[in-house]
Amino acid sequence: MLRKILIATAVALVILMIIISQRPDTFRLSRSTLVQAPPDRVFSQVNDFHLWDAWSPWAKLDPNSKATFEGAPSGKGSVFKWSGNDKVGEGRQEIIESQPPSRILIKLDFIKPFAATNQTEFTFQPEAGGTRVTWTMSGHNNFIAKAFSIFMDCEKMVGPDFEKGLANLKALVESQH
């Protein structure tokens, strides 16, 4: 009987490993909104990490979190590090490309609760009546991330945060008329 249980467990583990290995190697999620302001006004809010507290969906999740800034005051070379509770974790982000007023590329390194390196991109496209702001995050799924994706959907976890952040950014910039 014990032998049958061990064989069944081994078969189940092999099947689970096959399922996990077949999950996508990469992920990409994106949200956008139309802000009633010119691209340069919206761009300036994202290009300076010091201004993120006013619109970031994660800024108020841990009032005791610690934030530090390094490198350039804004734009390429600007670095933001944070450390907080389980809701915000710990990480670092650096603007690696800044093309005013159309595009910002950020290297995003998570340290806690799990280690991961992703890329975040903001684009600012002029559109009738304002600027189409698109916030995209993409990255590589290692084996652990693939296993995690079976039970937790990144799109459902992070997508609403992007929507909230973009709504906050829109309200902030539009109130500055």
Side-chain angles (χ1 to χ4, degrees):
M1 179 70 166
L2 181 60
R3 184 175 176 202
K4 287 181 182 180
I5 292 172
L6 290 174
I7 290 171
T9 302
V11 168
L13 286 174
V14 168
I15 290 170
L16 181 60
M17 291 180 70
I18 290 170
I19 291 170
I20 291 170
S21 70
Q22 297 301 310
R23 303 289 296 168
D25 290 333
T26 60
F27 75 91
R28 180 179 175 88
L29 69 101
S30 189
R31 296 291 192 274
S32 70
T33 193
L34 181 64
V35 179
Q36 303 298 318
D40 60 321
R41 286 213 357 246
V42 188
F43 179 92
S44 66
Q45 290 294 321
V46 179
N47 199 48
D48 185 343
F49 288 135
H50 297 90
L51 302 177
W52 280 44
D53 243 15
W55 61 268
S56 169
W58 302 286
K60 299 189 180 29
L61 291 179
D62 180 4
N64 298 316
S65 68
K66 296 180 178 121
T68 58
F69 302 92
E70 298 175 358
S74 65
K76 186 176 180 177
S78 181
V79 175
F80 172 68
K81 294 180 179 180
W82 74 92
S83 178
N85 63 19
D86 291 343
K87 293 179 182 177
V88 297
E90 181 179 350
R92 176 187 191 277
Q93 58 184 358
E94 178 178 356
I95 297 176
I96 58 174
E97 188 177 315
S98 178
Q99 299 174 357
S102 61
R103 182 173 185 253
I104 298 169
L105 191 61
I106 299 170
K107 179 182 178 197
L108 177 58
D109 294 311
F110 293 106
I111 299 167
K112 291 180 183 175
F114 55 88
T117 297
N118 298 322
Q119 181 172 292
T120 305
E121 178 183 38
F122 288 87
T123 58
F124 309 87
Q125 298 296 320
E127 194 171 296
T131 302
R132 172 68 51 189
V133 181
T134 303
W135 187 358
T136 303
M137 183 170 67
S138 58
H140 177 75
N141 285 328
N142 61 22
F143 188 80
I144 300 297
K146 288 180 181 187
F148 185 72
S149 75
I150 291 174
F151 307 102
M152 300 298 287
D153 184 358
C154 184
E155 186 74 32
K156 288 181 183 173
M157 283 178 40
V158 181
D161 289 338
F162 277 24
E163 291 165 7
K164 182 178 179 183
L166 287 170
N168 293 344
L169 179 63
K170 175 182 175 68
L172 175 70
V173 172
E174 289 178 356
S175 72
Q176 296 174 341
H177 279 117

